[in-house]
Amino acid sequence: MTLSELTTGQTAVIKKVNGHGGFRKRIIEMGFIQGQQVEVLLAAPLQDPVKYRIMGYEVSLRRAEADMIEVDKLNASTPHPNKEEVGGRTATATPHQGISVALIGNPNCGKTSLFNFASGAHARVGNYSGVTVDATVATAHFEGHTLNMTDLPGTYSLSCYSPEELYVRKYLASQMPDVIINVIDSSNLERNLYLTTQLLDMDLRVVCALNMYDEFELRGDTVDIPTLERLLGVPMVPTSFRTGRGVPELLRAVVEVATDRNAVSHHIHIAYGHEIEDGIKHIQHYLRPNAALHARYSTRYLALKLLEGDTEMASLVHQALEDEAAIKAVRDAVDTASRRIQEEQEVDAETAIMDAKYGFIHGALAEAGFRAGTKTDTYRTTHIIDNILSNRYLGFPIFFLVLFLMFETTFVLGQYPMDWIEAAVAWLGQWVGSTLDEGPLRSMLVDGVIGGVGSVIVFLPQILILYCFISFMEDSGYMARAAFIMDRLMHGMGLHGKSFIPLIMGFGCNVPAVMATRTIESRRSRLITMMILPFMSCSARLPIYIMIVGTFFAAQWRSTVLLSLYAIGILVAVVVSNVFSRLVLRSDDTPFVMELPPYRWPTAKAIGRHTWEKGKEYLRKMGGIILVASIIVWALSYFGPARPGSNAWSMEAHVAQNMEQSWLGRFGQTISPVFSPQGFNWKLDVSILAGVGAKEIVASTMGVLYSGDDSFGDLGSLDDVEADADSSQMSRFEQLHQMMAADGVTPQTAYAYLIFVLLYFPCLATIVAIKNETSSWRWAITAAVYTTVVAWVVSAIVANI
């Protein structure tokens, strides 16, 4: 709550003082600091202003000013905060007061590693830009203080050119965190400090983490940190988040800055030269009277943004001013200042401001005695590896060899633990079947729960192996090289090289991949990428692929068939993206500019943690949506619509004689004409429709339908096959092959089925993600409809040609 919400006689503890510049400075000087106790004494006759008691004296504030001060209401049981003397000024120690901390930095600077190390969270870490695509929140505890940490997307700037830049800037303005941790890659000080200067322009309280400082020292680089701190007015702490070096010192600095007890922290103004400074002052003259503006932004920062031609900020200023005369005055002031800068410096205002920033950074580093070392070259090993992996002739073969190796390992290595899990599931099914009497409960547990969930959970090892490979490629830096290698092909598809990163992420899960498109500056490329992402085979489809490929194809061909599915998905994506770029979304694309970080050997802990997180997510699905869907599918396949002779679709349920007479069987036969060109039977039709919610449900539905079916004559159900002495040694794939073959499914039909599953309707979560990212149901519905049409056409061609 805010101070203005308190009534006469109430007492509260100050939690946070919002605002910027002179307003915030004056309020703090009056004693309104974090942790201080304030009491409401009296409101004026017109209820504004209000008199408060703080630090032993009385002061009045307007309600608009009190509204900028966040407080926690003090109850009788709330202990009085402890006071201590710091530097001759009375401050308050509030060990249990939450401090909001935002982590900001360039992509690939180690920001998320700090977030994980300090908070114990498991946010995704990758050695390429665009991993963090949304704000991730966690809590850290340090020396009695609670730090509410928010990991923001990596960004090189706070301009309005890309979605992540706008996202970070809007977050800072709306949430106003107590302290910013600016994570800096020490090996690229000059470039990383550019973002720091923008944070200083915003008049925010900043602590810099000089990350990867071990590499900085190994290379022999040197800099006088105390001098650099003094010049920037920002505490700087050497850190290495891989080892935890400097993290306690960093968090201590955060607490000191948040409680105004840090001797280094003070606000500075970067000198931009007399012509720019004159323009800033002239524009500020028209902005300062507007309380709504300087409540959230420094007017100096707003003036700089207007001079830079920032359209988002100009729109915000115009909305806040409202009065046409005031808007015109600001616009004229900006035009006049821009013209004078152009005349004097012969460059536009934005370029002049950028040059001044880098001039300030260069000067500060020179005064701090920065010297680049020559002991080792961080990129030397990277260059050697790149000469091979990014080679003109070897790059593509190596990339596809890596993918083939990934799938071969998934099948071969994953088969052993899969057999163990399969044996356990089979034993459990037999034990339950022999323990319970025949009836609906036994059938539901054996055919529905164990048959449905068990048919999916056996593929957990393959899922873990796939994510282990993807994690290694991400953390090592190879994923960024994949984007570099594929840029020309992407451009030929009408896409941006950065589109390749979300597409590769789509092999894991389409939902975060859709969110990762925020890192693509071009709206056109962003939309096209989202439209073709469903063609990337997410891990949810992998159980279906392994089930069908293992059933109908010989062992020596399984990896090739599996790789062909991924290749077809990519090929269809190429064709569709060309159609979108040439006919639907026609505009110029943005240049390909992407950082290629040095290769780093991923730690076993990081890969293991990422792999296990995905494994837990998979298991949670087993106990949630897959379990519920399996029981529903079982019920629909166990009960029939009516007794013979009555209305076929009566709601009076009875136990079906076989699956074809069940609710599910009748429904499947009703829709079977739609899929007759593909040669699918009603069971395949039903499983496809079940997969609309989540693709894993396709595999669980197949497990239910082919574990409880008794319509195969002498062959019997899966339980019968397992119970049969001659068939007891048959593998799961062999059993399923006999059942499906008896049901008229051929290898060609099975491959067409795989193609349909590959290309059709993305899961509901992906549709919602597309809607959220585009802010339009139109694009989400378009993705759902057109992918299903493409799937139907391509699978029909495969089935018949």
Side-chain angles (χ1 to χ4, degrees):
M1 64 188 305
T2 64
L3 184 58
S4 64
E5 296 177 58
L6 298 179
T7 59
T8 301
Q10 289 185 326
T11 304
V13 174
I14 295 174
K15 179 180 177 182
K16 181 179 178 181
V17 179
N18 295 317
H20 291 275
F23 165 77
R24 189 172 187 277
K25 185 172 184 291
R26 187 180 81 241
I27 288 291
I28 291 175
E29 287 173 345
M30 293 166 65
F32 289 86
I33 58 177
Q34 185 183 36
Q36 190 59 250
Q37 186 171 310
V38 58
E39 180 185 358
V40 184
L41 295 179
L42 179 69
L46 296 179
Q47 301 303 303
D48 197 13
V50 179
K51 186 167 68 171
Y52 302 93
R53 178 185 288 120
I54 187 167
M55 295 179 70
Y57 73 100
E58 299 174 1
V59 60
S60 68
L61 290 181
R62 293 194 183 102
R63 287 193 178 272
E65 295 169 332
D67 197 46
M68 300 299 296
I69 302 172
E70 297 180 18
V71 298
D72 282 328
K73 189 176 176 182
L74 194 64
N75 298 318
S77 60
T78 304
H80 192 284
N82 300 314
K83 295 185 179 180
E84 59 181 14
E85 283 293 316
V86 180
R89 183 184 62 184
T90 302
T92 44
T94 53
H96 299 291
Q97 177 66 54
I99 299 173
S100 59
V101 182
L103 276 65
I104 295 176
N106 288 185
N108 196 46
C109 67
K111 176 173 50 65
T112 303
S113 296
L114 165 63
F115 179 79
N116 290 339
F117 192 96
S119 66
H122 295 156
R124 184 69 193 100
V125 179
N127 189 15
Y128 63 98
S129 64
V131 179
T132 306
V133 293
D134 206 347
T136 309
V137 180
T139 300
H141 300 280
F142 179 76
E143 296 182 350
H145 293 269
T146 299
L147 307 180
N148 301 312
M149 306 181 74
T150 303
D151 183 23
L152 295 172
T155 178
Y156 293 105
S157 172
L158 296 178
S159 302
C160 63
Y161 298 118
S162 67
E164 69 267 22
E165 290 176 352
L166 284 173
Y167 184 93
V168 171
R169 194 168 73 183
K170 288 178 179 178
Y171 177 90
L172 295 179
S174 61
Q175 301 301 318
M176 301 186 72
D178 296 319
V179 182
I180 308 294
I181 295 181
N182 179 201
V183 182
I184 292 174
D185 179 357
S186 299
S187 61
N188 293 291
L189 269 180
E190 189 165 3
R191 188 201 68 195
N192 279 245
L193 285 172
Y194 182 81
L195 178 60
T196 309
T197 62
Q198 293 189 316
L199 295 172
L200 297 180
D201 284 335
M202 293 185 75
D203 194 8
L204 300 170
R205 292 187 285 182
V206 179
V207 175
C208 286
L210 299 178
N211 196 29
M212 304 177 196
Y213 206 76
D214 48 352
E215 295 181 10
F216 180 88
E217 293 175 322
L218 183 65
R219 196 170 59 188
D221 293 356
T222 57
V223 67
D224 184 353
I225 293 177
T227 300
L228 197 58
E229 288 180 320
R230 175 176 55 82
L231 293 172
L232 271 66
V234 171
M236 295 191 163
V237 182
T239 61
S240 176
F241 300 146
R242 288 185 295 179
T243 63
R245 172 185 175 181
V247 173
E249 292 81 1
L250 177 67
L251 298 183
R252 188 170 294 113
V254 168
V255 172
E256 290 175 351
V257 170
T259 55
D260 295 309
R261 295 184 291 131
N262 187 276
V264 173
S265 180
H266 65 279
H267 179 59
I268 67 164
H269 280 174
I270 298 171
Y272 290 102
H274 74 275
E275 203 61 62
I276 296 177
E277 291 292 343
D278 286 347
I280 290 173
K281 291 176 182 176
H282 191 200
I283 298 168
Q284 279 183 290
H285 173 74
Y286 297 102
L287 300 179
R288 282 199 179 104
N290 190 289
L293 281 175
H294 63 67
R296 292 292 177 184
Y297 294 95
S298 159
T299 54
R300 179 178 174 84
Y301 173 73
L302 289 174
L304 280 167
K305 288 286 122 184
L306 293 176
L307 283 174
E308 289 177 354
D310 191 307
T311 54
E312 289 283 334
M313 203 57 73
S315 176
L316 183 147
V317 169
H318 293 166
Q319 289 175 10
L321 292 176
E322 295 179 351
D323 182 57
E324 283 297 326
I327 294 173
K328 184 178 185 304
V330 170
R331 189 178 289 128
D332 290 344
V334 172
D335 291 343
T336 300
S338 300
R339 186 173 61 254
R340 288 178 177 173
I341 294 168
Q342 179 75 43
E343 291 170 354
E344 182 181 276
Q345 302 191 25
E346 297 183 348
V347 292
D348 60 80
E350 183 178 19
T351 304
I353 292 171
M354 292 170 63
D355 289 345
K357 284 185 186 294
Y358 276 114
F360 168 79
I361 294 167
H362 184 75
L365 289 175
E367 190 169 340
F370 172 71
R371 296 287 184 276
T374 57
K375 290 183 181 179
T376 59
D377 182 2
T378 307
Y379 284 86
R380 185 181 299 165
T381 304
T382 292
H383 294 159
I384 295 172
I385 299 174
D386 266 344
N387 287 336
I388 300 172
L389 298 185
S390 301
N391 182 273
R392 178 179 180 182
Y393 302 104
L394 298 177
F396 283 107
I398 289 175
F399 176 65
F400 288 109
L401 179 63
V402 168
L403 292 182
F404 180 80
L405 178 65
M406 179 171 70
F407 298 134
E408 184 70 14
T409 305
T410 297
F411 255 117
V412 177
L413 188 61
Q415 185 65 45
Y416 297 101
M418 177 182 170
D419 290 341
W420 302 334
I421 298 175
E422 183 181 329
V425 170
W427 174 85
L428 181 62
Q430 292 173 359
W431 180 79
V432 172
S434 61
T435 303
L436 297 177
D437 294 332
E438 185 174 354
L441 178 61
R442 175 180 179 270
S443 177
M444 182 188 74
L445 291 177
V446 175
D447 300 330
V449 176
I450 298 175
V453 176
S455 65
V456 182
I457 202 172
V458 295
F459 301 113
L460 177 63
Q462 282 90 344
I463 296 293
L464 295 178
I465 292 172
L466 178 70
Y467 270 109
C468 186
F469 267 92
I470 292 177
S471 178
F472 182 86
M473 289 193 290
E474 290 176 340
D475 292 357
S476 65
Y478 182 63
M479 205 66 96
R481 267 65 185 189
F484 172 73
I485 293 169
M486 298 294 291
D487 178 58
R488 188 164 184 178
L489 288 179
M490 292 289 106
H491 192 70
M493 295 164 58
L495 292 173
H496 193 284
K498 284 188 179 180
S499 297
F500 191 67
I501 297 295
L503 293 178
I504 289 293
M505 289 178 70
F507 290 147
C509 179
N510 286 170
V511 175
V514 169
M515 295 172 64
T517 59
R518 295 178 188 174
T519 61
I520 305 170
E521 290 85 353
S522 165
R523 181 179 181 274
R524 167 182 172 274
S525 290
R526 212 158 52 239
L527 284 171
I528 296 176
T529 304
M530 278 187 269
M531 289 298 101
I532 65 173
L533 261 172
F535 297 136
M536 301 299 107
S537 291
C538 65
S539 60
R541 294 180 174 100
L542 191 61
I544 312 167
Y545 295 165
I546 295 174
M547 175 184 283
I548 302 301
V549 171
T551 297
F552 284 95
F553 299 95
Q556 66 267 28
W557 291 107
R558 289 173 182 171
S559 297
T560 305
V561 172
L562 189 59
L563 183 59
S564 74
L565 293 173
Y566 284 77
I568 289 173
I570 295 171
L571 179 62
V572 171
V574 169
V575 174
V576 172
S577 65
N578 268 292
V579 172
F580 271 101
S581 62
R582 296 176 190 277
L583 302 179
V584 182
L585 295 165
R586 295 160 55 181
S587 64
D588 294 331
D589 206 352
T590 56
F592 177 69
V593 181
M594 182 176 179
E595 180 183 3
L596 295 177
Y599 286 104
R600 291 189 173 91
W601 190 262
T603 64
K605 180 180 179 181
I607 293 179
R609 185 170 58 190
H610 178 222
T611 303
W612 177 236
E613 285 296 316
K614 293 301 179 182
K616 285 198 297 184
E617 183 179 323
Y618 189 73
L619 290 174
R620 277 196 295 268
K621 280 188 175 181
M622 298 304 102
I625 186 172
I626 305 301
L627 175 61
V628 173
S630 297
I631 294 175
I632 292 174
V633 170
W634 166 83
L636 292 175
S637 64
Y638 187 81
F639 295 104
R643 289 190 299 271
S646 63
N647 182 2
W649 290 102
S650 166
M651 290 303 294
E652 183 182 354
H654 71 289
V655 175
Q657 295 299 314
N658 55 53
M659 281 195 180
E660 289 188 4
Q661 296 177 6
S662 68
W663 286 103
L664 204 62
R666 293 292 182 91
F667 179 70
Q669 292 166 40
T670 300
I671 64 171
S672 60
V674 176
F675 297 101
S676 58
Q678 286 82 357
F680 299 163
N681 61 38
W682 70 266
K683 295 176 184 175
L684 298 182
D685 300 343
V686 167
S687 65
I688 284 173
L689 292 180
V692 168
K695 291 295 175 284
E696 294 96 340
I697 299 177
V698 174
S700 67
T701 300
M702 297 280 286
V704 172
L705 295 179
Y706 282 103
S707 68
D709 192 359
D710 59 356
S711 60
F712 297 105
D714 295 336
L715 180 63
S717 69
L718 187 58
D719 293 333
D720 295 334
V721 173
E722 290 173 345
D724 188 274
D726 297 330
S727 303
S728 61
Q729 301 303 314
M730 293 174 61
S731 72
R732 185 182 187 85
F733 289 146
E734 291 171 331
Q735 296 169 18
L736 190 59
H737 180 267
Q738 285 197 12
M739 288 183 169
M740 295 185 73
D743 219 12
V745 181
T746 66
Q748 188 169 355
T749 304
Y751 194 70
Y753 177 76
L754 289 173
I755 295 297
F756 194 95
V757 170
L758 161 70
L759 301 176
Y760 88 116
F761 188 102
C763 68
L764 289 177
T766 302
I767 294 298
V768 172
I770 292 175
K771 183 266 175 187
N772 290 338
E773 294 303 310
T774 61
S775 300
S776 169
W777 277 112
R778 180 169 64 94
W779 287 109
I781 294 171
T782 297
V785 172
Y786 100 86
T787 53
T788 304
V789 172
V790 168
W792 191 93
V793 172
V794 176
S795 60
I797 293 173
V798 168
N800 292 283
I801 299 180

